[in-house]
Amino acid sequence: MAQRVSRVLIVGGGIGGLSLASALRDRGLAVDLVELQKEWTVYGVGIIQQCNVVRAMADLGLVDRYLDAGFPFEAVGMYAPDGRLLAKIPGQRLAGPQYPANLGISRLALHTVLSGAALEKGTAVRLGTTVERLDQDDAGVDVTFSDGTTGRYDVVVGADGLYSRVRGLLFGPGEDGEYRPRFTGQSVWRHNFPRPPEIDHLAAFTGPDGNAGLCPLSHDLMYLFVTSEEPGNPRMPADQLHTLMRDRMKGFGGLIGALRDRITDPAQVVYKPMEVLMMPAPWYRGRVVLLGDAVHATTPHLGQGAGMAIEDAVVLAELLPQDAPLGDLLARYMERRYERCRFIVDSSIMVGEWEMARRHDVDRIGLVKKMLEVTAQPV
Ligand SMILES: Cc1cc2nc3c(=O)[nH]c(=O)nc-3n(C[C@H](O)[C@H](O)[C@H](O)COP(=O)(O)OP(=O)(O)OC[C@H]3O[C@@H](n4cnc5c(N)ncnc54)[C@H](O)[C@@H]3O)c2cc1C
């Protein structure tokens, strides 16, 4: 009989790590979580959560508080740069007919829901801490933490994001740095605004040079995002972010154009270069396994990065407590996750490449429909 997993360390208290902590605690496993940040917080714009993510939150048993914290909506509207509606793609109520298809939620509200659940279910969280060393044998992993303490675990999960330290400890940089994030050539500019009544769904606008979108976050709030090509990934001066964002929006009319003139405070602009990574198999070595952006970081074009991290957590939490050799369980985790995540990463990168090549002959609406079909499949 295989030795069952009963004690898990999660490195990284972001979206994926917190989802996993909560799900493992529900199954009675002991969970320690270390988070690098001393003050556990997230930046203040929003995040799109589509049908499959609402279903995953139902699997985690968190859907009611999650829906209460955001703005539920049904359809995704695709618009021309001047604001003309091109298509409205209905969402599927994958979590059940009583739940909405999609949710817009502020990152802070999502963090509050996930960290609240993980803590109240008994996850032992240590902030301002990371792992220094991982030494594994057949029966466990000895961990040395950055504060000098040590611990022994059945499994260690690296949920420490795009620049994962756990990934580095396990696999190094790869040949020619292939396990390092790559800048795609584009960036995203984001800003919150009061929500007008007509933004009661995700509204995506294709512009001449990039795309823009409006996502409702609450009764009063929405956020605007705009993508742009930024050759060489220049450092953007913090005190100029408002004028730079306005400049990136000059090809848009309609509501996006009207919002452009209301961007006046650089401190309200959240700027982020797009970086991607798709780790080849395996995503684990021995008793240490990776999830979320640590192994599959995508661009935001299809709004699915956090969704994939949450789904990873659902699958891993279902498998880890099972009575089977750990190697088999981790292989099953990869089988269930790899192709789906690769589809999201590859398709998202492709949309960015279309934008940078100014391709307007492509079927973007068809790709969004395909993404919804693929992600509607069970995890
Ligand atoms: C501009 C932009 C827009 C996006 N929009 C969407 C969207 O609309 N919908 C969507 O689904 N996804 C979106 N995403 C993707 C989404 O944000 C990520 O995929 C998601 O946050 C990944 O979750 P994670 O838990 O893997 O990593 P993270 O959420 O990044 O969490 C990692 C955590 O680990 C911590 N950490 C880092 N290093 C260490 C260490 N050494 N030790 C301990 N802790 C550590 C970090 O502080 C952090 O708390 C977007 C991404 C970007 C860049």
Side-chain angles (χ1 to χ4, degrees), residues 12 14-16 35-37 47-48 107 130 160 190 292-293 303 305-307:
I15 294 170
E35 162 59 47
L36 189 61
Q37 293 179 72
I47 193 156
I48 302 155
R107 284 181 177 263
T130 187
D160 49 348
R190 289 168 290 174
D293 275 12

Side-chain angles (χ1 to χ4, degrees), residues 8-39:
V8 175
L9 171 70
I10 299 172
V11 183
I15 294 170
L18 288 170
S19 302
L20 181 68
S22 177
L24 291 177
R25 287 298 301 140
D26 281 341
R27 290 168 171 84
L29 278 69
V31 181
D32 287 355
L33 184 151
V34 288
E35 162 59 47
L36 189 61
Q37 293 179 72
K38 285 200 180 88
E39 300 216 357

Side-chain angles (χ1 to χ4, degrees), residues 8-21 32-37 40 130-131 156-167 170 283 288-296 309-310 312-313 316 333:
V8 175
L9 171 70
I10 299 172
V11 183
I15 294 170
L18 288 170
S19 302
L20 181 68
D32 287 355
L33 184 151
V34 288
E35 162 59 47
L36 189 61
Q37 293 179 72
W40 206 9
T130 187
V131 291
V156 173
V157 182
D160 49 348
L162 190 60
Y163 284 89
S164 170
R165 175 165 173 77
V166 177
R167 181 182 71 228
L170 277 193
W283 292 348
V288 184
V289 58
L290 302 166
L291 69 66
D293 275 12
V295 269
H296 49 73
I310 294 170
D312 287 353
L316 199 53
Y333 161 68

Side-chain angles (χ1 to χ4, degrees), residues 46-313:
I47 193 156
I48 302 155
Q49 305 258 275
Q50 303 186 70
C51 325
N52 57 311
V53 193
V54 177
R55 174 180 62 193
M57 292 300 280
D59 288 342
L60 294 174
L62 301 176
V63 72
D64 292 316
R65 59 169 103 176
Y66 161 75
L67 293 175
D68 285 348
F71 189 98
F73 65 93
E74 296 300 321
V76 177
M78 310 282 285
Y79 295 83
D82 61 5
R84 239 174 339 112
L85 180 66
L86 299 174
K88 215 160 195 187
I89 306 171
Q92 289 186 62
R93 293 187 160 210
L94 296 180
Q98 70 278 35
Y99 292 116
N102 305 296
L103 187 79
I105 186 167
S106 86
R107 284 181 177 263
L108 190 58
L110 180 61
H111 175 75
T112 304
V113 167
L114 292 175
S115 58
L119 287 168
E120 79 198 32
K121 291 175 184 188
T123 306
V125 174
R126 274 197 287 165
L127 299 181
T129 309
T130 187
V131 291
E132 283 299 331
R133 280 184 63 113
L134 300 169
D135 297 295
Q136 45 177 323
D137 53 48
D138 288 347
V141 190
D142 288 313
V143 179
T144 308
F145 294 101
S146 51
D147 59 5
T149 59
T150 57
R152 184 167 172 84
Y153 298 89
D154 299 325
V155 167
V156 173
V157 182
D160 49 348
L162 190 60
Y163 284 89
S164 170
R165 175 165 173 77
V166 177
R167 181 182 71 228
L169 289 172
L170 277 193
F171 297 107
E175 259 174 59
D176 298 327
E178 61 177 323
Y179 303 160
R180 290 208 183 103
R182 172 178 74 80
F183 173 59
T184 65
Q186 282 187 301
S187 296
V188 194
W189 306 77
R190 289 168 290 174
H191 194 296
N192 286 343
F193 286 101
R195 184 183 70 84
E198 67 270 27
I199 299 303
D200 57 359
H201 63 286
L202 171 62
F205 300 77
T206 306
D209 302 321
N211 78 80
L214 294 168
C215 180
L217 299 179
S218 70
H219 184 263
D220 302 325
L221 199 67
M222 67 174 182
Y223 86 103
L224 161 71
F225 61 86
V226 181
T227 65
S228 64
E229 191 172 353
E230 303 296 346
N233 195 10
R235 205 188 65 77
M236 299 294 174
D239 61 350
Q240 294 302 313
L241 289 177
H242 57 317
T243 49
L244 292 167
M245 181 169 182
R246 285 206 303 262
D247 174 70
R248 299 329 185 245
M249 292 166 66
K250 57 180 186 282
F252 291 92
L255 181 53
I256 302 284
L259 291 169
R260 179 177 50 228
D261 299 332
R262 289 164 57 191
I263 299 173
T264 52
D265 178 0
Q268 298 303 312
V269 176
V270 180
Y271 174 76
K272 192 116 174 67
M274 293 188 205
E275 293 174 287
V276 292
L277 173 94
M278 184 71 204
M279 279 288 286
W283 292 348
Y284 57 92
R285 199 164 256 180
R287 297 179 159 272
V288 184
V289 58
L290 302 166
L291 69 66
D293 275 12
V295 269
H296 49 73
T298 183
T299 69
H301 290 99
L302 294 175
Q304 278 287 355
M308 290 301 106
I310 294 170
E311 284 187 354
D312 287 353

